[in-house]
């Protein structure tokens, strides 16, 4: 996607470039052959999609991006080529195949220039202007396309190498272009095993994959330069250099990032066994290794180095990379001794993590770990940072990061790392979100200790509840997916903000709730909490749905970021605390939003939930056919998202009832429902208490439980 198209009347028009084998347009293709498509051969063609104009939003203030109807944008087809081979239908033992003829596209910051790989002869019909380059042999070549002039430029013109008997000895490729710049000054980088500048002949007709750079003024390419000079590992056959698809150039076009087996990527010497990431200074023609290289098998993961923390001149202040190694901030490995244990490293679990180090890169760092991926089965992470380290996206498989990934699929993640200017010493207190039951506060050692404080303010007064004051029940913690409230001895927001109507839904939004409101964000165990409302005194949030329950005396770290942009110098205050996550902590919604009051219950015997058929409830009610049936009630609760009906007990008065259904509301994150059928022997009366229990966790003790009316 174009990173920074021009700003017009406060809006930007972003452009996405991609490949598709849709026969007419990717906008509506459902896989059905339309009969007479323009892409009957079904090969991959290049397309752009122009996003409808989007207003600039300052996310650092916590503003949310307004709803955008992306279906109203425009698709434009860039290439229209004959397939290098016909499509092959799939079978029970093989996948369908199409010709990947136009691929690996990237786009400039301003959205005006595309770079991509094509095996087709795009210049055959004069589409390349006066250029004489051709691609008659169908080799993968690097092309540029100027959207303003509509002219293609073929950058490389290469051919496979054969010996005297006609045997292929060096299949030539040109891959993974990367673009930087805008206006009339662009920098292009790519990897190729062709001998493009006469410096890549390793003997015997074999050439190594080397990194190249060139400049482009919108019409012509000049200054093609071979950046690396290496040899492949003759023993393993491993290629020396890895130039991954993606943004490997800094936005000012002065720096380039890649990976290499070579200790010195310019020496054409002996390779090491494991890859290490490098940064190359294009102007000074100098390399610096980023971080450490693995010392032993199984080595390390793909690093995907890229740049971030740009200033106003688009010069990067940092480089990000991925590693599964455990090194220290100073760029050394722990000595694995009592004085320097493995735990001194930044990544003792040796999971795939994203790291960051300042530019210009130095071997001593300092290195900072950005992610906190737990150990276990994980794949590599390809980080896509924004112009600053504060916001990035990545994908990951085989891991639960709190957002809900029970099957371990590859999922996309949004990562937020606000700058911290102030560490607050304030304490926090947690409450269930339906009726403000105070939750036990863990001690700093991780074991629950003491009664929570302060109590909800103002404290709701029970109305019509039974008398008596037994020992207060204090829940051990909150459940994943539960609606909750946090209060603090310090201010939690600069002003009040809340989620607009219809802006919360697990079925229609991802994430289901904003993770920032009015400059406030919150996480539990590193997983972002969805926010309903922030005020200076309280935050209404939903516990991340994928957090597993704590075991033993463990607890999760709570981090609240409060940004103040009205200060003379904008600040970001961090308030820290702890909370235990339990399997279930039921809490019933009430008319008081606290103890006592009336329970939020609906009669659903006739299948209609809205408008709510409220109390009084009779033992028998008409169904859809007006036939009297035992009354079915829906109780509005929170804290039961992952529970089965058989594990939940509803007590009305002194009557225990097992629900026939427990589920969460996909349109209201944090809101659950418990459905019961009233038995014939249920207690009746105007002020019966309603309590929900799961194991030892209860919604409330009888003395403060909400009330319900059941008539005979």
């Amino acid at each position: 996607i174009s990173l920074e198209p021009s700003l017009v009347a406060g809006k930007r028009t972003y452009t996405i470039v991609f490949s598709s084998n849709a026969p007419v347009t990717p906008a509506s293709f459902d896989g059905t052959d339309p009969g007479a498509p323009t892409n009957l051969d079904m090969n991959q063609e290049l397309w752009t999609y122009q996003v409808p104009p989007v207003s600039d939003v300052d996310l650092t203030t916590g503003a949310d991006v307004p709803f955008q109807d992306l279906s109203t944008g425009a698709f434009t087809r860039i290439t229209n080529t004959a397939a290098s081979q016909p499509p092959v239908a799939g079978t029970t033992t093989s996948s369908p195949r199409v010709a990947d003829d136009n691929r690996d596209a990237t786009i400039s910051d301003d959205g005006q220039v595309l770079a991509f790989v094509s095996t087709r002869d795009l210049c055959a019909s004069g589409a390349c202007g006066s250029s004489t380059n051709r691609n008659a042999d169908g080799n993968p070549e690097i092309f540029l396309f100027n959207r303003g002039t509509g002219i293609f430029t073929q950058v490389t013109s290469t051919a496979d190498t054969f010996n005297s008997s006609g045997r292929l000895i060096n299949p030539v490729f040109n891959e993974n272009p990367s673009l930087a710049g805008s206006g009339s000054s662009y920098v292009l980088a790519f990897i190729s095993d062709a001998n493009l500048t006469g410096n890549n002949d390793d003997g015997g007709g074999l050439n190594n994959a080397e990194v190249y750079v060139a400049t482009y003024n919108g019409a012509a390419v000049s200054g093609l330069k071979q950046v690396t000079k290496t040899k492949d590992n003759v023993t393993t056959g491993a290629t020396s250099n890895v130039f991954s698809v993606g943004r490997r150039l800094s936005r000012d076009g002065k720096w380039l990032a890649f990976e290499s087996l070579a200790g010195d990527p310019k020496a054409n010497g002996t390779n090491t066994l494991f890859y290490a990431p490098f940064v190359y200074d294009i102007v000074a023609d100098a390399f610096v290794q980023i971080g450490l290289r693995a010392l032993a098998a199984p080595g390390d993961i793909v690093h995907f180095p890229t740049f971030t923390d740009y200033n106003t001149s688009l010069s990067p202040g940092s480089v990000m990379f991925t590693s599964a190694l455990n090194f220290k901030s100073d760029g050394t490995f722990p000595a694995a001794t009592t004085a320097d244990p493995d735990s001194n490293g930044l990544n003792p679990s040796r999971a795939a993590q994203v790291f960051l180090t300042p530019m210009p890169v130095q071997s001593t760092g300092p290195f900072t770990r950005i992610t906190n991926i737990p150990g276990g089965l994980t794949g590599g992470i390809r980080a896509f940072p924004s112009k600053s380290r504060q916001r990035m996206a990545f994908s990951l498989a085989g891991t639960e990061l709190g957002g809900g990934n029970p099957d371990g699929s590859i999922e996309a993640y949004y990562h937020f790392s606000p700058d911290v200017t102030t560490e607050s010493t304030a304490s926090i207190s947690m409450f269930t979100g339906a009726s403000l039951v105070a939750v036990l506060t863990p001690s700093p050692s991780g074991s629950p200790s003491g009664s929570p404080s302060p109590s909800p303010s103002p404290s709701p007064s029970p109305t019509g509840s039974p008398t008596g004051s037994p020992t207060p029940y204090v829940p051990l913690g909150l459940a994943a997916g539960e609606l909750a409230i946090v209060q603090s001895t310090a201010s939690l927001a600069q002003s009040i903000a809340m989620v607009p109507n219809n802006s919360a839904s697990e079925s229609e939004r991802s994430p289901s709730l904003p993770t920032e409101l009015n400059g406030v964000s919150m996480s539990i165990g590193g997983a972002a909490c969805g926010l309903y409302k922030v005020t200076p005194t309280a935050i209404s949030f939903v516990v991340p749905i994928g957090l597993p329950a704590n075991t033993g005396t463990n607890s999760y770290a709570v981090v609240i970021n409060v940004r103040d942009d009205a200060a003379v110098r904008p600040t970001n205050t961090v308030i820290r605390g702890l909370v235990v996550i339990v399997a279930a902590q039921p809490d019933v919604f009430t008319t008081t939003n606290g103890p006592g009051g009336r329970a939020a219950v609906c009669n659903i015997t006739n299948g209609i939930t809205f408008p709510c058929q409220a109390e009084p409830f009779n033992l028998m009610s008409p169904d859809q056919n007006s036939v009297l049936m035992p009354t079915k009630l829906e109780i509005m609760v929170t804290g039961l998202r992952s529970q089965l009906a058989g594990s939940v007990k509803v007590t009305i008065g002194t009557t225990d009832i097992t629900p026939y259904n427990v589920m969460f509301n996909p349109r209201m994150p944090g809101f659950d429902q418990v459905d019961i059928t009233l038995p014939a022997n249920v207690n009746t009366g105007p002020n019966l208490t309603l309590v929900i229990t799961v194991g030892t966790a209860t919604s409330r003790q009888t003395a403060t439980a909400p009330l319900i009316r059941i008539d005979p």
Side-chain angles (χ1 to χ4, degrees):
I1 189 170
S2 53
L3 288 180
E4 199 162 0
S6 58
L7 186 66
V8 179
K11 295 187 175 184
R12 300 186 193 273
T13 302
Y14 292 89
T15 303
I16 298 170
V17 62
F18 63 101
S19 296
S20 173
N21 73 317
V24 180
T25 172
S28 57
F29 182 49
D30 62 359
T32 303
D33 188 342
T38 58
N39 190 18
L40 186 61
D41 50 13
M42 303 296 286
N43 67 333
Q44 294 273 34
E45 301 287 7
L46 221 62
W47 292 80
T48 59
Y49 173 73
Q50 191 160 295
V51 179
V54 179
S55 297
D56 260 14
V57 175
D58 185 2
L59 295 178
T60 62
T61 67
D64 197 13
V65 177
F67 177 79
Q68 302 288 333
D69 184 359
L70 297 181
S71 68
T72 61
F75 287 91
T76 302
R77 184 169 175 169
I78 303 300
T79 61
N80 187 7
T81 59
S84 59
Q85 56 184 336
V88 178
T91 69
T92 56
T93 59
S94 65
S95 299
R97 300 190 303 276
V98 298
D100 196 13
D101 289 330
N102 303 283
R103 59 182 185 263
D104 298 342
T106 188
I107 191 168
S108 60
D109 278 11
D110 58 6
Q112 294 305 302
V113 175
L114 313 178
F116 62 100
V117 175
S118 180
T119 64
R120 305 293 78 211
D121 191 3
L122 296 176
C123 298
S125 60
C128 296
S130 60
S131 173
T132 58
N133 281 345
R134 296 290 299 275
N135 191 22
D137 59 354
N139 208 53
E141 307 288 0
I142 303 294
F143 285 84
L144 293 165
F145 179 70
N146 187 318
R147 296 178 64 210
T149 62
I151 294 178
F152 291 95
T153 299
Q154 184 174 328
V155 179
T156 60
S157 182
T158 59
D160 295 340
T161 303
F162 299 86
N163 64 12
S164 57
S165 61
R167 184 173 65 87
L168 177 66
I169 59 174
N170 194 79
V172 173
F173 65 84
N174 306 277
E175 300 289 350
N176 301 346
S178 184
L179 267 179
S182 59
S184 60
S185 178
Y186 301 89
V187 176
L188 169 70
F190 59 94
I191 191 166
S192 172
D193 67 344
N195 191 9
L196 298 177
T197 60
N199 298 314
N200 191 21
D201 185 357
D202 293 335
L206 296 175
N207 302 328
N208 187 39
E210 306 285 9
V211 179
Y212 290 83
V213 295
T215 58
Y216 175 65
N217 62 7
V221 174
S222 61
L224 183 64
K225 173 184 176 182
Q226 182 177 322
V227 169
T228 57
K229 189 171 180 57
T230 58
K231 289 184 177 181
D232 283 344
N233 190 312
V234 295
T235 302
T236 65
T239 185
S240 294
N241 305 302
V242 175
F243 192 70
S244 307
V245 64
R247 294 187 181 275
R248 304 291 160 239
L249 282 167
S250 61
R251 293 181 63 190
D252 60 2
K254 295 180 180 179
W255 304 90
L256 181 150
F258 67 104
E259 304 173 54
S260 183
L261 292 173
D264 182 351
K266 291 197 301 181
N268 214 29
T270 304
N271 288 339
T272 62
L273 292 177
F274 305 110
Y275 290 99
F278 285 84
V279 165
Y280 173 67
D281 184 333
I282 296 176
V283 176
D285 188 26
F287 295 91
V288 178
Q289 183 176 318
I290 310 170
L292 293 166
R293 193 188 301 269
L295 301 178
D300 202 357
I301 57 178
V302 181
H303 298 90
F304 301 114
T306 191
F307 300 96
T308 186
D309 288 339
Y310 287 97
N311 61 19
T312 55
S313 300
L314 300 184
S315 178
S318 307
V319 60
M320 270 186 177
F321 63 101
T322 303
S323 177
L325 300 180
N326 182 34
F327 49 87
K328 298 193 294 185
S329 178
D330 63 3
T332 62
F333 286 122
T337 63
T338 304
D340 191 18
D342 202 49
S343 59
N344 282 353
L346 296 174
N347 188 24
S349 69
R350 289 172 170 78
Q353 307 285 1
V354 177
F355 295 88
L356 179 137
T357 191
M359 292 281 292
V361 173
Q362 299 184 62
S363 60
T364 55
F367 295 94
T368 303
R369 191 185 70 186
I370 300 298
T371 58
N372 188 22
I373 310 299
L377 178 64
T378 61
I381 304 176
R382 186 192 302 252
F384 291 91
S386 65
K387 66 167 57 177
S388 81
R389 74 184 73 184
Q390 290 189 1
R391 302 170 196 278
M392 73 171 179
F394 63 89
S395 60
L396 185 66
T399 306
E400 173 60 75
L401 297 183
N405 188 23
D407 61 357
S409 298
I410 299 176
E411 303 290 358
Y413 295 90
Y414 171 80
H415 188 274
F416 178 47
S417 302
D419 290 331
V420 177
T421 59
T422 306
E423 285 277 354
S424 174
T425 59
S427 61
I428 64 171
S429 301
M430 295 285 191
F431 305 86
T432 57
S435 70
L436 294 179
V437 180
V439 174
L440 203 65
T441 301
S443 67
S445 62
S447 57
S449 172
S451 299
S453 175
S455 58
S457 177
S459 299
S461 300
T463 302
S465 59
T467 59
S469 56
T471 302
Y473 165 68
V474 180
L476 292 178
L478 299 169
E482 182 161 18
L483 181 68
I485 303 290
V486 62
Q487 296 180 352
S488 176
T489 55
S491 177
L492 291 169
Q494 301 307 310
S495 58
I496 298 174
M498 59 192 306
V499 173
N501 292 336
N502 303 319
S503 292
S505 173
E506 288 192 41
S507 59
E508 297 179 1
R509 285 178 56 104
S510 184
S512 58
L513 281 164
T515 55
E516 293 176 79
L517 271 180
N518 200 32
V520 176
S521 62
M522 176 179 177
S523 67
I524 298 178
C529 300
L531 305 180
Y532 271 108
K533 183 178 181 180
V534 299
T535 74
T537 59
I539 299 174
S540 175
F541 69 96
V542 175
V543 178
I545 63 175
L547 291 178
N550 291 116
T551 57
T553 59
N554 294 328
S555 55
Y556 283 99
V558 178
V559 180
I560 302 170
N561 291 280
V562 183
R563 185 175 176 87
D564 182 7
D565 285 303
V568 176
R569 296 182 63 185
T571 61
N572 184 73
T573 300
V574 167
I575 305 171
R576 301 184 187 274
L578 298 169
V579 69
V580 173
I581 300 299
V582 295
Q585 178 47 58
D587 188 23
V588 180
F589 286 92
T590 72
T591 55
T592 63
N593 295 120
R598 313 301 297 185
V601 181
C602 285
N603 184 339
I604 58 170
T605 312
N606 65 0
I608 299 175
T609 305
F610 299 101
C612 179
Q613 298 184 42
E615 58 178 3
F617 304 114
N618 297 316
L619 294 180
M620 304 290 287
S621 299
D623 65 6
Q624 299 96 321
N625 301 315
S626 299
V627 177
L628 285 177
M629 303 288 290
T631 296
K632 295 181 179 180
L633 299 180
E634 181 177 284
I635 307 167
M636 284 60 140
V637 301
T638 190
L640 295 178
R641 179 186 178 96
S642 61
Q643 297 303 304
L644 300 176
S647 65
V648 178
K649 180 177 69 175
V650 177
T651 302
I652 296 180
T654 60
T655 307
D656 294 338
I657 305 169
T658 299
Y660 67 85
N661 180 47
V662 175
M663 64 176 292
F664 67 91
N665 186 342
R667 302 197 58 129
M668 290 287 288
F671 288 71
D672 308 325
Q673 65 185 58
V674 175
D675 299 332
I676 62 173
T677 300
L678 292 180
N681 65 342
V682 69
N683 296 136
T684 57
N687 290 309
L688 301 168
T689 54
L690 189 155
V691 176
I692 295 181
T693 306
V694 180
T696 59
T698 184
S699 56
R700 277 190 174 272
Q701 290 181 301
T702 303
T704 59
L707 306 177
I708 185 174
R709 176 175 175 175
I710 308 292
D711 289 343

